[in-house]
Amino acid sequence: MSWLTQTLSSSIGKKLVMALTGLFLCTFLIVHLVGNLQVFKSDEGLAFNSYTVFMTTNPFIKTISWGLYAMILLHAIDGLYLAYVNRRARGSVGYKRFDNQSSWASRNMAILGTVLFLFIVVHMANFWYSYNFGEVPYKRYTVDLTEGRLLNTEVMPEDYRLSTKMEQSLNEEGTAKTVIVKDLFSRVERTFSNPLVVLFYLLGVAALAYHMAHGFWSAFQTVGLNHPKYTPLIQGIGLWIFGILIPVIFAAMPVYIFFRNAM
Amino acid sequence: MDANANMHLTLNVWRQRNNSTEGGFVTYEVSDVSPDMSFLEMLDVLNERLVHEGKEPIAFDHDCREGICGSCSMYINGRPHGPLKGVATCQLHMRSFKSGDTIAIEPWRAVAFPVIKDLVTDRTAFDRIIASGGFVSVNTGNARDANSIPVRKENADDAFMAASCIGCGACVAACKNSSAMLFVSAKISQLALLPQGQTERKIRAEKMVAQMDSEGFGACSNTGACSAECPKEISLDTIARTNREYLGAKMTSSAV
């Protein structure tokens, strides 16, 4: 297998690792965005909380999520190592004047990536840690099944615990459903009531936007996919979808919740 | 202002005795610079003055002075070969500047291109990369009859485009990572596109990339600064092709 380690430790091989892990993270970004759209629902967090239970109990998704953590670490470590090697290649004496003919994002991928990594750590401390290891209260929702309407909600006492994250039951007539579920949504609302946290999330999303505006296209170039037939499309998707649309929707989430709570 | 009037310039030039001493910027005032002079001629005039004053002239690489040899190599006002696109330093003329301008002149900066003296850097790393595989081993003989070896028009055009690389090193100088990918990719592309290059196609990609890495050049991060500054405007497509050539060779070559 020496050819494989040789390949992966070459400059192009290290870039291949960046490209493949990066593209995997891009697919995660879409799933994460679509799932998190539940925060825009006006159902006091029922859909969001049910979705959270699904994402943290489904064995397939649990397996993928461990792969995802590994990919994030691999992307970060390989990226920082490349940044170190690349910086070293310039030598101890740099240019006095350096008017580089390239985009700002393309020159600052390592800095943007570092901001993103810090963002991910804070983001996981805010929600992933408290959901899995912290104290998240339960909430009871009663839903009218004939109309699909939320009848009432009740925050369970602090010390209320279930053996599972969610329990559902029907009433005798089968017209209403009671759901008792771990209320991560209350965490989301509480976290985004702090304007400083909202600003930090906007900073993270801005870093994401610039990182993607260069990174998406760059990954395809690194794996050798460059052709007049499809490269403009790849660059367009990288800029408009991953660089603008997805970050804007992500940015809207903390902003929307902040103002909805403040109103 | 009369466009033909002579110009007055302030030059901040990197002076360095040799590789083992530290260098620094020295400021020179030059007058009577004709806008029709090339950048190198302007330095020739300054050097003549320095010699008359009994001072050490500024060392810089130059040879053909017609934009095809790749010798001239100066980082002018923050850009390799100066402000123009698709132009080597020798083809840059003083009309591209204004009288009263201050011009910073620095050598290429890369660990793989150590400074020999002043603005002259040691670019033999490029020679070693070419020697590692940038050639066709057998003698291909005299020019054949037209069409005796069929080559697609598109391949001929792309190969010619890639072959126009003059090996000046502006790509390395411009790259924030001091990466030599554009230079290496130009040569790999040129030979991969032509029938004569097929026999050694895989081993060439493997060896040239390995040599490039061992010389201490950085990795490509697709910023595009190399292609933007290349005096021959070699395209980034060649880098994508080299990624394909290298990864494909590594997956399929007989070198296990």
Side-chain angles (χ1 to χ4, degrees), chain A residues 3 6-7 10-11 15 86 88-90 93 95-102 107 214 218 221-222 224 226, chain B residues 75 77-78 106 109 111 173-178 213 219-223 225 229 236 240 243-244 246 250:
Chain A
W3 69 271
Q6 224 180 60
T7 306
S10 71
S11 60
K15 290 295 301 181
N86 291 342
R88 203 180 49 183
R90 176 60 85 215
V93 186
Y95 292 111
K96 185 184 178 190
R97 212 177 136 179
F98 190 58
D99 288 352
N100 207 258
Q101 303 294 299
S102 59
R107 291 195 303 276
H214 176 67
S218 183
Q221 169 84 356
T222 296
N226 180 323
Chain B
Y75 219 75
N77 277 349
E106 302 172 73
R109 294 289 185 203
V111 159
C175 176
K176 77 172 187 64
N177 308 331
S178 300
D213 288 350
C220 175
S221 50
N222 302 323
T223 69
E229 297 290 15
L236 289 183
N243 291 333
R244 286 198 294 278
Y246 177 76
K250 279 288 178 194

Side-chain angles (χ1 to χ4, degrees), chain B residues 29-47:
Chain B
E29 302 288 333
V30 286
S31 303
D32 300 328
V33 174
S34 158
D36 295 329
M37 279 179 180
S38 76
F39 200 84
L40 299 186
E41 283 166 341
M42 183 273 296
L43 287 176
D44 289 338
V45 170
L46 171 60
N47 272 347

